[in-house]
Amino acid sequence: MEQLFYSLLVMLLGVLSCVFYFVGSNWLLLLIYPVKHVSNVKMAQNIRRAAAIRPWLFLGPALFFLILYLVYPVFDSVYLSLHGRNGEEFVGLANYEWLFQDNEFLESLTNNILWLLIVPALSTFFGLIIAALTDRIRWGDFAKSLIFMPMAISFIGASIIWKFVYDYRAEGSDQIGLLNALVEYFGGTPQAWITLPFWNDIFLMVILIWIQTGFAMVILSAALRGIPEETVEAAVLDGANGFQIFFKILIPQIWTSIAVVWTTITILVLKVFDIVLAMTNGQWDTQVLANMMFDWMFRGGGDFGRGAAIAVIIMIAVIPVMIWNVRQANAQMEGR
């Protein structure tokens, strides 16, 4: 109860602080550039000056925190990656040389590539199929709400839910894990699913697919509804069947939206951390780059240089996808 009280208090103080800042900064601006009791020429000058300054006053806090929490860490990470364990001794590219000779890093890189190949593709595919199907049924909005619901759950919370799905007890004990209970019911042998090589990665990916399918569904459903009915009606008159309409008429018209969804999930996958940390902590060949970075930076490794080098690798991998995603979004907004 105490934690809830403090959480609500922090939220209230945050909102009140924003209101105070915006109202106060606008009042100060009008005090410096008054529009009352001045000549018409002076008033016009003050209005122009205030209008030029006001956007920067409102953007100021966002820009400050953007620089503090995004721009500064980028340069600091690059700096640390060129230094030793304590971030003091300059070692040049030694940390990067170590990375590409380290088996755990190569394992993490391989797993990240596997996540990249599977999660964005299946999340986008399921989101597209569900978006198309739910638009055709009467209770489609209710179905969409249920499918979108996992988006409201944190990755840690989702991982805990799925831990109960994959839970394993020794053979002969009551299986509380849903998957093993079903396996045992149909006469199979219960398995410790998250310890099975290769398959445990797939089981972890299922969690992120479960979460992100709702996101893909919402975006693609809006894109499908934006398609002019005339194109579909023309295809029907030409004798096209349902599959032809879907793949040859609808998909090409929302391809930009599909690409944006795909790349957005791709960026998320490159940074995946919480699920692996909560489910396996990188054990049983499930390590990924972000969890490895966390281990080296803050855990037993305690090596700022190597941890920062892994962070830089993740950043380098994310930047091209992000740039392409922004360009696609801009092109879509411009109607190109």
Side-chain angles (χ1 to χ4, degrees):
M1 192 65 184
E2 185 179 354
Q3 292 178 338
L4 179 61
F5 170 75
Y6 283 119
S7 298
L8 292 174
L9 181 62
V10 169
M11 291 171 60
L12 180 61
L13 289 175
V15 172
L16 290 177
S17 298
C18 291
V19 172
F20 175 78
Y21 172 79
F22 290 123
V23 173
S25 61
N26 195 56
W27 172 81
L28 184 63
L29 192 62
L30 291 176
L31 189 66
I32 297 172
Y33 298 107
V35 295
K36 295 181 180 179
H37 310 298
V38 294
S39 65
N40 290 337
V41 174
K42 188 66 175 177
M43 181 178 67
Q45 289 178 347
N46 287 348
I47 290 174
R48 284 197 300 270
R49 289 170 182 171
I53 295 172
R54 187 174 287 109
W56 293 105
L57 280 176
F58 290 170
L59 285 172
L63 290 174
F64 171 76
F65 287 113
L66 185 68
I67 293 170
L68 181 63
Y69 292 112
L70 186 62
V71 178
Y72 167 72
V74 168
F75 289 101
D76 194 49
S77 295
V78 174
Y79 172 84
L80 288 174
S81 71
L82 301 175
H83 290 73
R85 174 179 292 271
N86 297 321
E88 297 174 357
E89 179 190 359
F90 181 78
V91 297
L93 298 176
N95 290 322
Y96 295 97
E97 292 175 4
W98 164 80
L99 273 183
F100 290 98
Q101 295 173 2
D102 182 70
N103 289 332
E104 186 183 17
F105 174 76
L106 297 177
E107 172 199 315
S108 303
L109 192 61
T110 302
N111 287 337
N112 267 95
I113 292 171
L114 193 62
W115 280 71
L116 285 172
L117 292 174
I118 294 175
V119 174
L122 290 185
S123 297
T124 306
F125 173 76
F126 288 136
L128 177 60
I129 296 301
I130 293 168
L133 293 178
T134 50
D135 282 341
R136 296 172 177 270
I137 55 178
R138 191 180 306 170
W139 47 278
D141 290 339
F142 176 71
K144 287 179 182 178
S145 300
L146 292 179
I147 294 165
F148 186 75
M149 199 175 293
M151 281 290 296
I153 305 173
S154 69
F155 284 4
I156 294 293
S159 300
I160 292 171
I161 292 171
W162 281 85
K163 259 194 172 181
F164 285 105
V165 175
Y166 297 141
D167 188 78
Y168 168 75
R169 301 293 170 91
E171 194 172 353
S173 303
D174 291 334
Q175 299 293 334
I176 66 168
L178 177 62
L179 187 55
N180 274 322
L182 289 172
V183 169
E184 194 173 57
Y185 177 80
F186 287 106
T189 303
Q191 301 284 338
W193 302 106
I194 61 174
T195 67
L196 300 177
F198 177 76
W199 292 107
N200 50 10
D201 280 315
I202 303 298
F203 294 133
L204 298 188
M205 292 176 205
V206 168
I207 302 172
L208 191 53
I209 293 169
W210 178 66
I211 296 172
Q212 291 301 309
T213 294
F215 163 74
M217 174 200 69
V218 169
I219 303 299
L220 297 177
S221 177
L224 286 170
R225 290 186 177 186
I227 295 175
E229 288 290 335
E230 292 81 1
T231 58
V232 178
E233 292 171 359
V236 172
L237 291 175
D238 287 341
N241 58 39
F243 284 101
Q244 289 173 327
I245 292 173
F246 184 73
F247 287 105
K248 294 185 178 181
I249 305 298
L250 300 183
I251 296 295
Q253 294 189 72
I254 63 167
W255 180 250
T256 303
S257 298
I258 293 173
V260 170
V261 169
W262 188 302
T263 52
T264 301
I265 299 174
T266 297
I267 293 170
L268 181 68
V269 168
L270 283 168
K271 302 181 292 183
V272 68
F273 163 72
D274 316 57
I275 294 172
V276 175
L277 176 69
M279 294 294 290
T280 64
N281 195 25
Q283 301 179 83
W284 307 299
D285 300 332
T286 59
Q287 187 68 290
V288 291
L289 292 175
N291 194 60
M292 183 183 175
M293 176 201 70
F294 183 77
D295 286 343
W296 277 101
M297 187 74 82
F298 302 111
R299 286 179 160 181
D303 192 318
F304 288 160
R306 292 182 175 181
I310 300 170
V312 171
I313 294 296
I314 297 172
M315 181 182 68
I316 291 171
V318 167
I319 286 174
V321 182
M322 190 176 297
I323 291 173
W324 189 86
N325 198 13
V326 170
R327 287 181 176 177
Q328 289 294 113
N330 289 338
Q332 187 177 22
M333 289 178 65
E334 293 169 5
R336 279 190 262 161

